[in-house]
């Protein structure tokens, strides 16, 4: 997998309280490209961080509906990948991403 495709697949780490709790159990959350598949995410994480991925789950999160000056609109949705690593392996997402 080329560097350009890796950087296009993994957009950014998703930082939240839930993601911090999941990191304690060797699971990390990334925002990925809308067209990314589980195989793409697995290959990108393994190549970028030099770790062994056990499982990948993808979630499509819809954008929230908001109103502004009597008009309704919605925020952009995103696709998240929950990546579980093998035992004993960690990722420092703040250093690489």
């Amino acid at each position: 997998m080329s560097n350009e495709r890796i950087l296009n697949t993994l957009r950014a780490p998703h930082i939240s309280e839930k993601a911090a709790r999941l990191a304690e159990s060797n699971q990390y959350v990334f925002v990925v490209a809308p067209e990314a598949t589980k195989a793409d995410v697995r290959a990108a994480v393994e190549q970028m961080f030099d770790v062994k991925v056990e499982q990948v789950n993808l979630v499509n999160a819809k954008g929230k509906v908001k109103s502004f000056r009597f008009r309704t609109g919605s925020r952009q949705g995103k696709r998240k990948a929950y990546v579980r690593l093998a035992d004993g392996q960690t990722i420092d997402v703040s250093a690489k991403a």
Side-chain angles (χ1 to χ4, degrees):
M1 185 176 258
S2 67
N3 283 343
E4 182 179 341
R5 185 166 170 120
I6 289 172
L7 294 176
N8 189 30
T9 301
L10 293 178
R11 298 279 168 91
H14 183 73
I15 308 298
S16 66
E17 290 181 18
K18 182 178 178 181
R21 278 184 283 142
L22 288 173
E24 295 171 359
S25 63
N26 231 13
Q27 199 169 6
Y28 298 91
V29 185
F30 295 96
V31 177
V32 296
E35 64 276 357
T37 63
K38 289 183 179 186
D40 292 341
V41 173
R42 177 187 296 267
V45 169
E46 285 180 348
Q47 193 170 1
M48 187 171 190
F49 296 105
D50 296 324
V51 293
K52 176 70 176 141
V53 174
E54 281 188 358
Q55 186 178 7
V56 176
N57 291 332
L58 294 176
V59 175
N60 290 322
K62 284 193 170 190
K64 291 184 178 180
V65 175
K66 295 287 186 174
S67 62
F68 179 73
R69 294 197 181 202
F70 309 111
R71 293 187 181 185
T72 59
S74 64
R75 292 183 179 172
Q76 189 174 11
K78 56 186 159 187
R79 185 172 176 106
K80 296 188 285 186
Y82 290 84
V83 178
R84 173 166 290 160
L85 302 181
D87 290 336
Q89 296 188 340
T90 59
I91 294 177
D92 187 11
V93 290
S94 60
K96 288 238 180 182

